[in-house]
Amino acid sequence: MSESFASARPIIGLTTYLQQAQTGVWDVHASFLPGIYLEGVTLAGGIATLLPPQPVDADIASRVLDGLDGLIVTGGKDVDPAAYGHDPHPTTDEPARDRDAWEFALIAAALRRHLPVLGICRGAQVLNVALGGTLHQHLPDLLGHTRHQQGNAVFTTSKISTMAGSLLASLIGPNTNAQCYHHQAIDRLGDGLLVSALDDEGVIEAVEMPGRDFVLAVQWHPEETLDDLRLFAGLVEAARVYTTGRVSQ
């Protein structure tokens, strides 16, 4: 393997929204993602590419991942409760079933090939549901407040404590201040997942798959604080190791 290939920047795929959007005079159905996600990947040394929701099966998902070194499942609307056998709460978003199916397929294909995966906010919930877990659909019903999602696109800061010995703790240490914007959270854990962070009220704020190369999902938004790139850098480095090993086989 050449030195230039070994030092190449890993290609990271990021899932996107697919919904009505306005830009200038246009009001159209569009695939998009806030640019701050892309900035997080590129500042950490990766190359970002977008993965818009579209019709999918296992073969298509696998072919898409053939061109990637890592995967980020990004934030967005609530997961369809039907995917984990629950009726919708009145506050739950209208289902985005095409995006759900797309991300479930990408996660399944990524886990089969040990591709590094980072879930962000919705991405943590998608990972959990994809592995058979469930969600709390509205945290204010449990906690009696809306601190985790104040509304009007205003992020709130939560103190997050990591679990000793976890991958997450190795990346960010014992605690961090996290930017949160979620009214749902993980309830029953999906198969193979362990809790790797909680907030001060016991809400699950991160999960991971021990024994895997890099499968980590956080309930908060690390892209909102790009002065701290440790999660993006961790994924990019895992993607670099993954691709180096794949080529050397």
Side-chain angles (χ1 to χ4, degrees):
M1 181 175 54
S2 70
E3 182 179 353
S4 61
F5 188 91
S7 62
R9 299 175 71 181
I11 299 175
I12 308 298
L14 299 95
T15 62
T16 77
Y17 295 74
L18 182 63
Q19 62 193 66
Q20 205 68 15
Q22 290 182 305
T23 176
V25 298
W26 306 105
D27 185 355
V28 297
H29 199 56
S31 172
F32 63 94
L33 187 70
I36 198 166
Y37 283 98
L38 313 183
E39 189 175 355
V41 169
T42 57
L43 286 174
I47 297 293
T49 188
L50 299 185
L51 305 174
Q54 54 197 292
V56 65
D57 58 30
D59 180 63
I60 291 171
S62 184
R63 287 169 57 199
V64 167
L65 295 186
D66 283 344
L68 301 180
D69 306 313
L71 173 67
I72 297 179
V73 184
T74 61
K77 289 189 172 184
D78 300 330
V79 178
D80 183 3
Y84 49 95
H86 287 195
D87 294 327
H89 187 279
T91 64
T92 297
D93 295 329
E94 286 296 313
R97 295 189 180 97
D98 286 346
R99 181 175 181 184
D100 289 351
W102 175 241
E103 293 180 349
F104 289 150
L106 290 174
I107 285 173
L111 295 181
R112 283 194 297 271
R113 62 177 62 203
H114 298 272
L115 189 78
V117 176
L118 174 64
I120 293 178
C121 197
R122 167 189 157 92
Q125 297 167 7
V126 171
L127 176 65
N128 191 61
V129 173
L131 294 172
T134 64
L135 304 178
H136 293 298
Q137 289 190 57
H138 195 53
L139 283 174
D141 290 349
L142 298 176
L143 304 178
H145 61 73
T146 60
R147 180 171 60 83
H148 292 84
Q149 188 183 81
Q150 296 281 5
N152 296 318
V154 176
F155 288 83
T156 55
T157 302
S158 293
K159 184 175 181 179
I160 306 300
S161 298
T162 63
M163 302 304 174
S166 65
L167 169 62
L168 181 62
S170 74
L171 293 173
I172 67 171
N175 52 67
T176 191
N177 290 322
Q179 296 299 296
C180 292
Y181 197 86
H182 61 97
H183 79 113
Q184 299 194 344
I186 290 171
D187 181 11
R188 188 184 74 242
L189 281 177
D191 296 338
L193 292 175
L194 288 180
V195 174
S196 51
L198 300 169
D199 74 0
D200 56 9
E201 293 182 289
V203 174
I204 296 173
E205 288 287 345
V207 292
E208 60 187 63
M209 294 188 77
R212 305 294 294 229
D213 296 325
F214 192 107
V215 179
L216 172 64
V218 299
Q219 187 62 78
W220 68 89
H221 285 269
E223 79 280 4
E224 290 296 320
T225 51
L226 291 183
D227 56 334
D228 180 357
L229 290 170
R230 289 176 293 179
L231 289 178
F232 287 104
L235 175 71
V236 168
E237 178 56 26
R240 184 176 288 111
V241 170
Y242 169 83
T243 297
T244 300
R246 179 175 58 176
V247 171
S248 64
Q249 291 176 354

